Amino acid sequence: MILAGGFGTRLAEETGTRPKPMIEIGQRPILWHIMKIYSAHGINDFVICLGYRGNIIKEYFANYMLNVSDVTFDYRNGRTEYHRHNAEPWTVTLVDTGEATMVGGRIQRVLPYVADDEAFCLTYGDGVADIDIAASIKLHRSEGRLATVTAVQPPGRFGAIWTEGHRVTAMREKPNGDGSWINGGFFVLNPGIGRYLTGDDCVWEREPMERLADDGELSVYHHRGFWHPMDTLRDNRHLNALWDGGAAPWKLWS
């Protein structure tokens, strides 16, 4: 499950005409990079939560085969044939979750698509990492809690996490920078987290995660490698420089 519906106001230079997950790194949307990270770990079924300018993401995937293949258009017989395509083995479900819906509300709206799964992954549509997704899933299963959050240690401008072993003891949104572990996204969740969600105005990073921590239902996977969000134009330039220089740590695929 990938959250791709926000306005991306801190990147207004780029998001006036397209959603933030469609901003490119190396001529590919960051959304594609995120999906490739998961695909490198064998996860190829995606539910993408759309909102602001979601039609642009729909059009991208509608034309994906066309853009990664050689193609023959047979106008006489009304057929299209693709040759030597390089498309990934993805199944992509695109769900309109509302333009102004908060993260918790978006998750709640798409839970029916994962209701039969033991667990599912969730991440934001604007950050990349060299995270070991398989290891985070293994930890989630071994700990047996409803939710697992990946914790990282960049400058303190995101939600902080306090832990004991692999159990989250407290969760607070955006404290002053103090070197704490912070919410890096890349969650593993059980569908049972739905009882913590309260509608479109539900802010996932606040009450639901705080209650999960208070109830002893939130585990943590500590990621000590590369992690970087794309919040600003400077972030975008940095990520593009890494990619163009052949030094993108999140490129886990060949």
Side-chain angles (χ1 to χ4, degrees):
M1 189 182 297
I2 303 177
L3 298 159
F7 289 100
T9 53
R10 284 180 289 184
L11 249 177
E13 303 95 335
E14 296 284 348
T15 57
T17 58
R18 55 184 170 170
K20 189 177 179 183
M22 293 304 293
I23 298 173
E24 293 92 354
I25 300 173
Q27 300 184 331
R28 297 273 195 169
I30 191 171
L31 177 60
W32 177 87
H33 289 263
I34 294 166
M35 294 169 71
K36 289 288 284 187
I37 292 169
Y38 279 103
S39 192
H41 290 278
I43 297 174
N44 293 303
D45 297 331
F46 298 94
V47 178
I48 300 178
C49 304
L50 305 180
Y52 172 69
R53 295 193 178 274
N55 62 300
I56 292 175
I57 297 177
K58 286 184 178 180
E59 289 167 3
Y60 174 77
F61 285 105
N63 294 316
Y64 192 74
M65 280 290 292
L66 178 64
N67 291 326
V68 299
S69 309
D70 296 334
V71 61
T72 296
F73 296 106
D74 181 350
Y75 296 111
R76 184 182 304 108
N77 297 300
R79 292 199 303 261
T80 301
E81 183 179 358
Y82 296 102
H83 314 281
R84 293 196 311 113
H85 74 78
N86 296 309
E88 291 78 2
W90 292 342
T91 299
V92 183
T93 300
L94 304 167
V95 183
D96 183 0
T97 56
E99 193 163 286
T101 307
M102 305 305 290
V103 169
R106 296 189 193 282
I107 298 170
Q108 189 172 35
R109 286 197 184 201
V110 299
L111 276 180
Y113 292 92
V114 296
D116 295 332
D117 295 330
E118 172 194 353
F120 62 96
C121 296
L122 167 76
T123 197
Y124 304 106
D126 61 357
V128 289
D130 60 352
I131 179 174
D132 188 338
I133 299 293
S136 71
I137 295 171
K138 181 178 179 180
L139 182 140
H140 176 78
R141 286 173 171 161
S142 68
E143 292 295 312
R145 299 187 178 95
L146 285 177
T148 297
V149 58
T150 294
V152 296
Q153 283 189 309
R157 54 184 175 134
F158 300 89
I161 296 171
W162 287 265
T163 70
E164 290 179 0
H166 288 300
R167 187 174 79 84
V168 174
T169 58
M171 176 85 192
R172 297 294 179 265
E173 179 70 359
K174 295 184 181 178
N176 293 328
D178 57 4
S180 299
W181 290 93
I182 63 137
N183 171 14
F186 293 98
F187 302 89
V188 187
L189 308 172
N190 292 0
I193 57 106
R195 64 177 179 266
Y196 289 85
L197 305 176
T198 56
D200 285 357
D201 293 332
C202 176
V203 180
W204 166 246
E205 300 82 1
R206 294 179 184 166
E207 185 178 353
M209 290 191 68
E210 291 172 6
R211 286 178 55 209
L212 282 162
D214 292 342
D215 291 349
E217 289 290 350
L218 184 58
S219 299
V220 60
Y221 174 76
H222 291 96
H223 174 60
R224 293 174 171 83
F226 177 87
W227 175 88
H228 207 293
M230 191 172 65
D231 284 332
T232 65
L233 191 58
R234 180 180 178 181
D235 292 333
N236 177 249
R237 288 170 177 164
H238 174 62
L239 293 172
N240 269 285
L242 289 174
W243 183 266
D244 293 342
W250 68 90
K251 188 178 184 296
L252 306 175
W253 58 95
S254 58

